[in-house]
Amino acid sequence: MTCFAAYARVVPLVRALALAVIRRPGTSQIFVDEVVEPTTGLTFHRPAGGGIEFGEAASQTVVRELQEEYGLAITVGRQLGVLENLFTYDGRPGHEIVLVFEAELAHAGDYAAERRPCLDQPLVTGVWRSLSEDAVPLYPDGLAALIGPVATGRIARHP
C-alpha cells in the first residue's frame, strides 16, 4: 500500500462531481435525483450527475452519468458555476467540489415522463421539480441561487 493510499483511508478526500441542470421546456422545472437518505429516511433533491473519473472531462461526466443512471442522452451546454458541498450522508461526512452545467435532453419525448427509476441506485428516482418548491431540500447549497437567473430555452453547446 502506498503512503497516499494509507492516508486516504484515514483522511476522507474531497470528491469532484459534475451535475447537469436540465430544464423542462415551458416550465420552471428542473430534472433532479430524488434521494432518500438511508440513515434518516429524509428525502432531498439534487441535479443528476456524479463523480468525475480520472482523465474524464467534467462535461463528459454528466453525459455518462445520465446515460448510466437513466438511459438518457443529453447535450451539454455551458458551465454555470462551481459550488462547494459539505454534508453528512448515511452518517458519514462528505466534501465535494461540484461543477454545474446546463444541459438538455437529446430527445424531446424524454421530457414527458414525470418520474424515472434510477437504473443503478434503488433509493433514487429522477423527478421534475420547480425551483420555487421548498418542501424538499435542493442540494448542494447555493444551487438555486446559481441557476435561478438562467433563462429557459436552447442552450449554448459545450465545446
Side-chain angles (χ1 to χ4, degrees):
M1 178 182 322
T2 67
C3 290
F4 178 76
Y7 177 79
R9 289 176 190 252
V10 176
V11 179
L13 299 176
V14 177
R15 181 175 178 223
L17 198 71
L19 302 179
V21 174
I22 302 170
R23 294 181 181 268
R24 195 178 219 179
T27 75
S28 65
Q29 296 177 324
I30 61 170
F31 186 73
V32 295
D33 290 341
E34 185 170 85
V35 182
V36 177
E37 209 283 347
T39 303
T40 65
L42 297 175
T43 299
F44 67 89
H45 289 160
R46 184 198 82 174
I52 302 169
E53 295 181 355
F54 183 80
E56 179 180 54
S59 60
Q60 288 304 305
T61 297
V62 292
V63 170
R64 175 182 51 77
E65 289 286 346
L66 270 287
Q67 180 61 49
E68 288 175 0
E69 294 178 355
Y70 296 105
L72 295 170
I74 64 168
T75 301
V76 179
R78 66 187 173 100
Q79 184 178 328
L80 298 173
V82 177
L83 297 169
E84 185 170 26
N85 192 25
L86 298 163
F87 61 96
T88 300
Y89 181 82
D90 201 14
R92 293 184 295 249
H95 188 175
E96 300 168 332
I97 302 299
V98 183
L99 287 75
V100 182
F101 292 87
E102 63 181 356
E104 62 185 17
L105 298 178
H107 307 291
D110 288 337
Y111 287 100
E114 293 296 323
R115 302 178 67 80
R116 291 180 173 277
C118 182
L119 302 174
D120 62 359
Q121 298 180 52
L123 296 178
V124 178
T125 303
V127 301
W128 294 101
R129 107 171 241 143
S130 171
L131 286 176
S132 62
E133 178 183 331
D134 61 2
V136 178
L138 178 63
Y139 296 120
D141 287 336
L143 181 71
L146 178 70
I147 66 176
V150 177
T152 58
R154 300 297 294 174
I155 63 171
R157 301 201 186 242
H158 190 273

